[in-house]
Amino acid sequence: MTEETPGFEEKPDVPSGATADDAAEAVESDEDATAPAGDATDVALLAQLDQARTALSERTADLQRLQAEYQNYRRRVERDRVTVKEIAVASLLAELLPVLDDVGRARDHGELVGGFKSVAESLETVVAKMGLQQFGKEGEPFDPTIHEALMHSYAPDVTETTCVAILQPGYRIGERTIRPARVAVAEPQPGAQGKAEESDDSDTSEQDSE
């Protein structure tokens, strides 16, 4: 066996009788042969890095999309839950409206006394806590979206269609109308507006003549 002498590198084989130029070319050819191997390794690593970045971007986009869908789902469930609760409460209170009407009539006739009065006031307190609101007053303009006209007449002292009597109060929960107010309405007398305008014109003429 031969031992390598420390400090000496293995030299490329050079044919005997070769010149110094031939030896230099042999060394350069060996270096050129080893260089492409390093470049190929770098290219492979860069390709793997690009693939990893692409996969990371795709997974990040998937995660963001799933998170957005989950947030939309939560909002939709919460909205549906609130809607179902409102519908259930409105249905329950609608069944109690005839009882509240009886309480109101008893109060108008002075019959709300004793234990009946206490029970009626407790019932009104409970339905108010549940969001039930009564509406409808005499003298307010007629609004077909919240009023139901059961009686009609003409009156000289009104300038527009007006609720002159509340036959049954209306009830709502928030913006949801459970029952419109049932009212008697009065309209201005036919021709009253024209007479009023003629009266105003005559007064103006008299003042101008003076």
Side-chain angles (χ1 to χ4, degrees), residues 114-125:
F116 179 43
K117 179 180 179 181
S118 178
V119 172
E121 291 177 349
S122 297
L123 175 62
E124 291 174 338
T125 300

Side-chain angles (χ1 to χ4, degrees), residues 10-14 23-36:
E10 183 180 356
K11 296 181 179 180
D13 295 333
V14 179
E25 291 178 359
V27 172
E28 291 177 358
S29 64
D30 288 342
E31 292 177 353
D32 294 340
T34 58

Side-chain angles (χ1 to χ4, degrees), residues 88-98 100 127 130-132 173 178:
V89 171
S91 298
L92 172 62
L93 294 177
E95 296 296 327
L96 293 176
L97 295 187
L100 295 175
V127 296
M130 297 178 69
L132 186 66
I173 299 178
I178 297 180

Side-chain angles (χ1 to χ4, degrees), residues 102-207:
D102 291 339
V103 170
R105 283 190 289 269
R107 181 180 286 110
D108 292 339
H109 290 85
E111 299 175 355
L112 201 61
V113 295
F116 179 43
K117 179 180 179 181
S118 178
V119 172
E121 291 177 349
S122 297
L123 175 62
E124 291 174 338
T125 300
V126 169
V127 296
K129 288 182 178 179
M130 297 178 69
L132 186 66
Q133 298 176 345
Q134 186 183 103
F135 66 91
K137 295 181 180 179
E138 294 182 8
E140 64 185 7
F142 175 75
D143 184 352
T145 62
I146 61 173
H147 297 135
E148 181 182 352
L150 300 183
M151 299 178 64
H152 176 269
S153 63
Y154 295 98
D157 56 344
V158 298
T159 58
E160 60 180 340
T161 305
T162 305
C163 301
V164 294
I166 306 300
L167 307 179
Q168 274 188 335
Y171 290 95
R172 66 164 65 96
I173 299 178
E175 299 299 325
R176 182 193 298 269
T177 300
I178 297 180
R179 187 182 73 185
R182 292 166 179 168
V183 300
V185 299
E187 290 184 309
Q189 288 280 4
Q193 186 67 26
K195 292 180 180 179
E197 292 177 355
E198 291 177 0
S199 177
D200 292 339
D201 293 339
S202 62
D203 292 341
T204 303
S205 300
E206 291 176 0
Q207 291 177 358

Side-chain angles (χ1 to χ4, degrees), residues 43-106:
V43 171
L45 290 175
L46 289 175
Q48 292 178 358
L49 181 59
D50 290 339
Q51 291 178 355
R53 288 175 176 172
T54 302
L56 178 60
S57 299
E58 293 176 352
R59 298 300 175 270
T60 302
D62 292 340
L63 180 60
Q64 291 175 345
R65 184 171 60 254
L66 288 174
Q67 185 176 11
E69 291 177 354
Y70 177 67
Q71 293 296 334
N72 291 334
Y73 168 76
R74 287 187 59 185
R75 285 193 290 267
R76 187 166 58 251
V77 169
E78 180 64 19
R79 184 171 61 250
D80 293 344
R81 185 184 66 82
V82 173
T83 301
V84 169
K85 180 180 178 181
E86 290 178 350
I87 293 175
V89 171
S91 298
L92 172 62
L93 294 177
E95 296 296 327
L96 293 176
L97 295 187
V99 179
L100 295 175
D101 291 337
D102 291 339
V103 170
R105 283 190 289 269

